[in-house]
Amino acid sequence: MNSPPPYAGEQAGPQSASGALVDPMAAPPSAPPMSAPPSTQQPAGPPIAPSLLGRAAQRVRGYFLALDPSFLSAVAPFAVLAVILFTRHPSTNYIFDEQEALLANPYVNAKGGLRFIDAIHRDFWGLAPDRSVGSYRPLPNFLWRTIWAVTKQPFFHHFYNVLFHAANAALLTCVTFWLTRKRGVAYLAGLIFVGCAVLTEAVSGIVGIADVLGGMGAIAALAALALPAWAMPFAVFAAVLFGLFSKESALVCVPLIPFAALIAAPLTHPTRPARLVRALVALLAAGAAFVLYVELRRRWFPAPMPAELTAPLPEGAPLVKRLLHDALVWFHQAPLPRDPLNNPLSTADTPHRIAGALRVYWRGLTQIVFPWTLSGDYSYPQEPAPDRLVFFESVAGAAMMALPPLGSLALWIAALRREHLERRERRSVRAAFLVDGGQATSRRWSLLIAGALLATAAVGLAAYDWHALRPAGRVPWLRALPLVLWPLPFLPALLLGLGLLVEGTRPLPCPATADRSVWVPLRQGYAGLCIAAIGLTWVVVSYFPHSNIPVVLPTVRAERFWYFPAIGSSLVLAVAFSWLHEALAGSTLMPRTRWSWRAWVTPALFVLFFGFQCVQAYRHAMDYRNDLEFWAATKEAVPNSAKAHLNYSVMKGARGDLPARLAASEKAVELAPKWPMAHVYTGDTLCRMHRADEAFPHYQRGMELGPNELSLVALALQCLHDEKRLAAYDAELRRMAEEHPGTWLAYLAVDTLDNGEKHGGVDPKYRPRGYNEGPKE
């Protein structure tokens, strides 16, 4: 029995003697028939027709490996797979943050006279700058507002997110193929990404649209690196700007895209790599997009400055500290909420916060490969601040934060050594080509001249404006630009000029066929080294802003934070499977004459890996069937999350099961005894069970823990009024009001006691929004 065809081979196909690629999936050329001796020649029998399963396998194999992947050929199967894995039940409702993002979003619901364009003046939740929690993402709001006018059905708003994820996987497949020219590796990268189970929250959850669109901008910026040097920076600029306005996490593209351009230049442009110039123009383009985004956000969304940045630095502060302070003031990030329940690391000192952050990073990294447990919530005390600095997970997290970039450097050095050997072979090919009478390639002088003129003009005009026009007070619109925006008018000409200079240089020696794909990957394994180097650094750098190390985030851990890192991990895993197969099965270009078990080891491992990912993704997506199923699954996955138990209690209460609600609320109080909401909700359950006297101690404890929690205070007072027991606690409520002057407790307690009969309880304008309701007017 013959061994199976190559699995994710090094090239799209071996080369023929003329240098053209030969498809390894195609049938081998038939040799001239040799006549057998009369005594041994057998009559030819009828051809054996392949079975139905065999024909199906041939069709699948031909679809993926017979032709080079394109976006359209990849997006169709990926869309089918994504729909199967991540689609929620059609009867689903709005779950968790989706209620705030859509049902209670005043911009999406066009409340208060908000126009369509006003998304640029609102945060992700539709709140004004002075009420924002720091999430500025206008593009998802534009999309929501557009489709909200057509339908408010939750399933539909989730479903297009699934299709966008499939499009991202298809685009990543194309990027991988452009870099490696290996069909198998390209589809492996796309399959691993589209089926990555840890991304279920981002794909199946409606609010994950920000992560998916931000990731789309990042992958599109990677794809832009394959364009000619004169067009690449403009495409990178547009892609990064798209990502930033989708989610602020796309700022990681500023260092990562130039890094990818530096390493991948010999793959995307083998005849004119010019890696340093391409990396420079990618850096300028990505940096310009980031600067423009920040300046527009500062003008469109003037959020208040965090308190620690408004205070001036003491005299004699170190230069580095002053520069960092000035950069943060310019960046003008809205104050991020610090809730110990959502992020217990927010109250820890810096060393213990970093230790806890490294533990969370290690746990998330293992979920990429082995997603045994997936959850939509990891709040207190599921991920508490550690009580010591050194333990296995903190050490493992630190190692995996430091080793991948070092590994990237080592892989790149190995790739450079192989590239040096390849260039020596190119010179010998060129010499032989010239000896045979071939025509030497030359520079493109028209492009060189145009590029030099444009670059010189851009630099000259910028210098003239800086030294002559600005001091003289001329060109008012240029003087009106902030200093960080001043170079932008001159940057397009400079980038275009540099790109034309690159495209006009003498190309590296190529064979007479000038077939670009012949030289990609340059030498055996070169492309894999480059892809792995990009992917390893991508994982660490793209996760770092979410790690709670540089800045304390509102959330300690969320699986949607891994959408950007999964782009890099998919590249690394695809290359790893390819390398493993080549190591076990030997060269993919050499014909095999007998069956070998080694050739099946890697496919079997990949089937197990990918199958487990798909099963876990499907199981977690089914948690989104409705809000009750979601929180029931969450409290089972993370039994130490007080929020999971309390939200489950609310879901049971909404369905009239008050005993189950009481049990879950009491569990939340047990896990988080200082959480005001847990106490008030427990009291509210007892009150609705007509046990108001038992409820009051819980109400009292909750209101004293959170005297400024308007919704909680109003909820407690309203139920006491409805149960005709408010007056019975008049003295206690007035005492609590006196002990907490200037708070909502002090105001509402007295106002409800004095005016409760007139208002029917709490003043209606202060009553909390009901569950599953839209925004209040």
Side-chain angles (χ1 to χ4, degrees):
M1 180 178 179
N2 292 332
S3 60
Y7 175 82
E10 177 60 33
Q11 297 181 348
Q15 297 176 18
S16 66
S18 63
L21 291 180
V22 178
D23 188 354
M25 301 301 110
S30 58
M34 297 180 63
S35 297
S39 60
T40 60
Q41 192 154 5
Q42 300 292 330
I48 301 176
S51 64
L52 179 62
L53 183 60
R55 290 197 301 271
Q58 289 178 0
R59 285 181 176 273
V60 171
R61 190 173 190 82
Y63 184 91
F64 288 104
L65 296 179
L67 298 175
D68 294 346
S70 65
F71 179 80
L72 292 179
S73 67
V75 76
F78 288 163
V80 173
L81 181 60
V83 167
I84 293 173
L85 295 181
F86 299 107
T87 303
R88 289 156 60 166
H89 195 276
S91 64
T92 184
N93 57 359
Y94 291 107
I95 298 171
F96 196 20
D97 289 343
E98 298 170 358
Q99 296 187 4
E100 295 297 324
L102 287 171
L103 285 179
N105 190 320
Y107 168 77
V108 172
N109 289 271
K111 298 295 184 181
L114 290 174
R115 304 165 300 165
F116 183 81
I117 193 62
D118 285 335
I120 63 175
H121 305 302
R122 294 281 167 153
D123 74 354
F124 188 54
W125 314 99
L127 302 177
D130 58 341
R131 298 175 55 203
S132 173
V133 296
S135 301
Y136 182 68
R137 306 160 190 173
L139 287 184
N141 266 322
F142 278 131
L143 181 63
W144 283 339
R145 174 79 172 259
T146 301
I147 301 179
W148 194 256
V150 178
T151 177
K152 297 177 175 60
Q153 217 282 334
F155 174 82
F156 188 79
H157 287 277
H158 138 77
F159 188 71
Y160 54 76
N161 203 22
V162 177
L163 300 182
F164 285 148
H165 177 60
N168 285 347
L171 189 56
L172 184 63
T173 299
C174 295
V175 170
T176 308
F177 179 72
W178 295 338
L179 295 176
T180 64
R181 294 290 156 174
K182 295 163 66 174
R183 298 166 187 158
V185 173
Y187 276 113
L188 277 181
L191 278 173
I192 292 171
F193 183 74
V194 77
C196 185
V198 79
L199 305 183
T200 305
E201 181 187 4
V203 181
S204 294
I206 295 177
V207 296
I209 189 69
D211 301 270
V212 174
L213 291 181
M216 183 178 291
I219 302 174
L222 277 176
L225 300 180
L227 295 174
W230 56 266
M232 179 264 286
F234 301 99
V236 167
F237 174 86
V240 173
L241 198 62
F242 177 89
L244 286 168
F245 278 111
S246 298
K247 189 173 184 181
E248 54 277 4
S249 304
L251 62 88
V252 300
C253 292
V254 177
L256 285 175
I257 298 303
F259 175 75
L262 179 69
I263 292 183
L267 299 173
T268 55
H269 304 278
T271 59
R272 292 182 175 87
R275 54 162 49 96
L276 292 178
V277 180
R278 292 184 191 273
L280 174 63
V281 297
L283 177 62
L284 291 175
F290 176 68
V291 169
L292 182 61
Y293 159 77
V294 173
E295 286 295 325
L296 291 178
R297 190 194 63 189
R298 284 161 55 92
R299 284 158 176 74
W300 293 342
F301 193 73
M305 188 81 70
E308 59 269 20
L309 296 180
T310 56
L313 291 176
E315 294 186 9
L319 176 62
V320 174
K321 188 173 183 179
R322 284 188 279 115
L323 291 176
L324 179 61
H325 179 270
D326 293 342
L328 292 175
V329 169
W330 169 76
F331 186 65
H332 201 103
Q333 172 65 46
L336 298 176
R338 294 198 175 189
D339 182 2
L341 182 80
N342 288 319
N343 188 356
L345 300 181
S346 62
T347 58
D349 59 76
T350 301
H352 286 84
R353 186 187 85 232
I354 293 176
L358 292 173
R359 178 195 64 202
V360 170
Y361 171 64
W362 169 253
R363 291 178 178 179
L365 201 61
T366 57
Q367 282 184 313
I368 286 282
V369 181
F370 191 71
W372 183 256
T373 301
L374 297 171
S375 172
D377 174 74
Y378 290 93
S379 55
Y380 180 84
Q382 184 67 34
E383 291 285 356
D387 54 3
R388 52 199 174 98
L389 298 178
V390 180
F391 50 97
F392 171 76
E393 289 175 309
S394 69
V395 174
M400 294 307 296
M401 192 74 76
L403 292 180
L406 295 177
S408 292
L409 179 60
L411 292 171
W412 188 36
I413 292 174
L416 289 175
R417 293 182 61 186
R418 297 193 181 193
E419 182 183 352
H420 175 69
L421 296 175
E422 185 275 337
R423 290 201 179 190
R424 291 173 57 184
E425 292 186 4
R426 284 190 177 199
R427 295 190 189 99
S428 63
V429 169
R430 181 173 183 269
F433 176 63
L434 294 177
V435 169
D436 292 338
Q439 190 71 28
T441 55
S442 62
R443 298 177 177 86
R444 302 175 184 176
W445 289 106
S446 59
L447 296 182
L448 286 174
I449 294 172
L453 289 175
L454 279 172
T456 303
V459 174
L461 286 175
Y464 180 67
D465 176 70
W466 184 262
H467 293 287
L469 296 181
R470 288 178 70 89
R474 300 177 183 177
V475 194
W477 68 272
L478 271 177
R479 287 190 293 109
L481 290 176
L483 187 59
V484 293
L485 288 180
W486 169 77
L488 288 186
F490 310 101
L491 196 57
L494 176 63
L495 295 176
L496 182 59
L498 291 175
L500 292 175
L501 285 173
V502 169
E503 297 300 326
T505 56
R506 185 190 300 276
L508 294 175
C510 277
T513 58
D515 187 352
R516 175 182 180 274
S517 60
V518 170
W519 295 93
V520 181
L522 305 175
R523 288 185 62 83
Q524 184 79 2
Y526 178 88
L529 291 171
C530 294
I531 294 296
I534 294 172
L536 287 174
T537 298
W538 188 286
V539 171
V540 176
V541 174
S542 61
Y543 180 80
F544 190 71
H546 295 297
S547 66
N548 278 291
I549 294 176
V551 64
V552 179
L553 299 178
T555 304
V556 65
R557 180 181 177 186
E559 290 165 5
R560 64 182 179 274
F561 291 168
W562 284 92
Y563 200 89
F564 278 79
I567 298 170
S569 65
S570 299
L571 296 176
V572 173
L573 290 171
V575 171
F577 277 112
S578 176
W579 282 348
L580 179 62
H581 183 70
E582 292 170 6
L584 292 176
S587 173
T588 58
L589 303 183
M590 296 296 293
R592 303 187 184 94
T593 57
R594 63 186 180 87
W595 182 86
S596 173
W597 64 269
R598 294 174 179 270
W600 291 96
V601 172
T602 306
L605 288 176
F606 178 76
V607 169
L608 290 175
F609 167 80
F610 187 66
F612 184 70
Q613 292 278 345
C614 290
V615 169
Q616 292 300 92
Y618 178 82
R619 290 180 59 189
H620 193 30
M622 290 302 99
D623 295 340
Y624 288 80
R625 282 171 288 186
N626 56 61
D627 46 13
L628 178 62
E629 293 288 342
F630 177 82
W631 288 111
T634 302
K635 75 180 182 68
E636 294 299 323
V638 286
N640 290 328
S641 169
K643 181 186 287 187
H645 288 279
L646 192 64
N647 278 284
Y648 175 73
S649 77
V650 173
M651 302 306 111
K652 296 296 287 186
R655 290 160 174 80
D657 191 350
L658 293 180
R661 179 187 177 186
L662 179 61
S665 297
E666 290 175 339
K667 179 64 176 180
V669 171
E670 176 187 339
L671 290 170
K674 295 184 179 180
W675 187 18
M677 184 178 290
H679 288 280
V680 171
Y681 276 29
T682 302
D684 191 64
T685 306
L686 290 167
C687 186
R688 293 176 187 275
M689 297 173 73
H690 308 295
R691 296 157 61 180
D693 292 332
E694 296 178 53
F696 185 77
H698 294 281
Y699 280 151
Q700 182 177 8
R701 177 62 173 161
M703 288 189 289
E704 289 178 338
L705 286 172
N708 264 320
E709 298 285 348
L710 171 61
S711 297
L712 297 181
V713 174
L715 184 68
L717 295 174
Q718 185 63 42
C719 190
L720 289 173
H721 175 272
D722 293 342
E723 292 295 313
K724 312 299 184 184
R725 297 298 297 165
L726 184 65
Y729 299 101
D730 184 290
E732 288 88 342
L733 290 172
R734 294 186 185 275
R735 176 187 58 78
M736 292 164 58
E738 292 177 358
E739 292 176 354
H740 299 85
T743 64
W744 279 111
L745 171 60
Y747 174 77
L748 282 184
V750 175
D751 182 72
T752 307
L753 287 169
D754 294 342
N755 303 302
E757 294 302 321
K758 180 174 64 175
H759 295 310
V762 177
D763 190 332
K765 64 182 178 181
Y766 297 124
R767 294 178 189 175
R769 180 175 58 88
Y771 178 72
N772 230 23
E773 289 183 359
K776 298 182 69 176
E777 295 290 347

